[in-house]
Amino acid sequence: MWKHLLNLFFPKVCSGCHAFLIANETVICTKCRHEVSLTQHHLHSKNEAFQKFYGKIDVIHASAFLSFHKNGIAQELIHHLKYKKQEEIGSILGNWYAEDLKEIKPEIPFDIVIPVPLHPKKQRERGYNQTTTFGKAVAANLSLQFNEQILLRKTYSKTQSKKNRLGRAEGIEKAFDVVFTDQDHNKHFVLVDDVLTTGATLEACSRALLKIPGAKISIICMAMAN
């Protein structure tokens, strides 16, 4: 009864289109699930995400789940995840994309999922790392380890979202470092992030992880900007 009363006075809305959610819908409505643009990167090894890093960093696999368009559904979802404390969006997208990633897992033996870290000050300001729930969901569905301790961000910076590639690259090369043990040698690390834009942050993270002997890198993002 109380649940029905709460829904009456505080109805839940879709994070993609803001329409009221109906019974059995959680966070994202059925209409948005059907209409959101999927990249299908997992079906093509030399996809657009992989090409972002070609000649810059040696990655085994790179892919993004959604196509990120201005004022599109993916933008709305990630905005709510990042700034509206709707961490469950990350879990939903991670569970959803993991079903596709299961198709390539036998060919690419991933080991450890690592979220792109926030600087501790930024994480205190936001209250959470927006990539954590996505990474945990991917790891759980693919039976992989999840580790937030290996990769660290050493420098604090304001949002990168409005900077061009040159602006993002300036100062970011040495922004990350790693803390590892012998057990982390020869592992295949899966970096997860929210939106793939220029790739500068992911390049810097990858270079830090490649300090680990025998490390291999793959990259998985919730969305890729067009």
Side-chain angles (χ1 to χ4, degrees), residues 1-45:
M1 183 182 72
W2 285 112
K3 184 177 180 180
H4 288 302
L5 283 173
L6 283 171
N7 287 337
L8 178 64
F9 291 105
F10 303 100
K12 294 180 180 179
V13 297
C14 171
S15 296
C17 67
H18 311 294
F20 293 135
L21 294 174
I22 60 175
N24 300 320
E25 290 183 339
T26 305
V27 182
I28 306 170
C29 71
T30 303
K31 182 172 181 287
C32 281
R33 283 180 177 266
H34 285 293
E35 292 185 355
V36 69
S37 180
L38 307 180
T39 67
Q40 302 297 337
H41 282 169
H42 67 290
L43 299 176
H44 310 283
S45 60

Side-chain angles (χ1 to χ4, degrees), residues 26 58 62 65 79 91 101 107 114 125 136 150 158 167 199 212:
T26 305
D58 186 18
F65 182 38
H79 177 80
S91 297
L101 296 172
E107 303 169 19
I114 295 180
E125 290 171 354
K136 284 183 175 179
I150 294 175
K158 294 184 179 179
I212 302 173

Side-chain angles (χ1 to χ4, degrees), residues 68 75-87 89 122 125-126 128 130 158-162 194:
F68 187 99
Q75 184 184 43
E76 285 295 316
L77 292 175
I78 291 173
H79 177 80
H80 280 78
L81 166 64
K82 198 168 180 177
Y83 302 111
K84 301 294 184 180
K85 300 187 182 300
Q86 292 191 17
E87 293 182 78
I89 291 172
K122 174 66 72 67
E125 290 171 354
R126 185 170 292 163
Y128 58 96
Q130 72 274 9
K158 294 184 179 179
T159 182
Q160 301 277 311
S161 60
K162 295 184 179 179
D194 49 15

Side-chain angles (χ1 to χ4, degrees), residues 89-102:
I89 291 172
S91 297
I92 289 170
L93 294 181
N95 290 331
W96 192 357
Y97 197 27
E99 292 305 308
D100 292 338
L101 296 172
K102 285 176 183 178

Side-chain angles (χ1 to χ4, degrees), residues 65-210:
F65 182 38
L66 309 176
S67 290
F68 187 99
H69 302 279
K70 187 175 182 181
N71 300 320
I73 296 170
Q75 184 184 43
E76 285 295 316
L77 292 175
I78 291 173
H79 177 80
H80 280 78
L81 166 64
K82 198 168 180 177
Y83 302 111
K84 301 294 184 180
K85 300 187 182 300
Q86 292 191 17
E87 293 182 78
E88 64 271 30
I89 291 172
S91 297
I92 289 170
L93 294 181
N95 290 331
W96 192 357
Y97 197 27
E99 292 305 308
D100 292 338
L101 296 172
K102 285 176 183 178
E103 296 179 24
I104 64 170
K105 188 191 173 189
E107 303 169 19
I108 308 174
F110 305 127
D111 292 310
I112 303 174
V113 175
I114 295 180
V116 170
L118 297 178
H119 186 273
K121 180 180 177 182
K122 174 66 72 67
Q123 184 147 339
R124 286 195 298 272
E125 290 171 354
R126 185 170 292 163
Y128 58 96
N129 181 342
Q130 72 274 9
T131 62
T132 294
T133 52
F134 176 76
K136 284 183 175 179
V138 168
N141 279 277
L142 299 183
S143 300
L144 305 174
Q145 296 179 49
F146 179 84
N147 193 312
E148 292 182 280
Q149 311 304 319
I150 294 175
L151 185 63
L152 310 173
R153 181 153 193 159
K154 301 186 297 181
T155 60
Y156 174 85
S157 65
K158 294 184 179 179
T159 182
Q160 301 277 311
S161 60
K162 295 184 179 179
K163 295 181 180 179
N164 59 23
R165 180 174 178 85
L166 182 60
R168 287 169 184 249
E170 287 178 353
I172 205 168
E173 270 192 40
K174 299 180 180 178
F176 300 93
D177 205 354
V178 287
V179 177
F180 62 92
T181 67
D182 292 349
Q183 292 182 340
D184 300 312
H185 292 190
N186 303 307
K187 298 295 186 182
H188 188 159
F189 299 103
V190 183
L191 270 171
V192 294
D193 202 4
D194 49 15
V195 183
L196 172 56
T197 50
T198 67
T201 297
L202 287 159
E203 284 179 45
C205 289
S206 297
R207 294 186 195 283
L209 286 169
L210 287 171

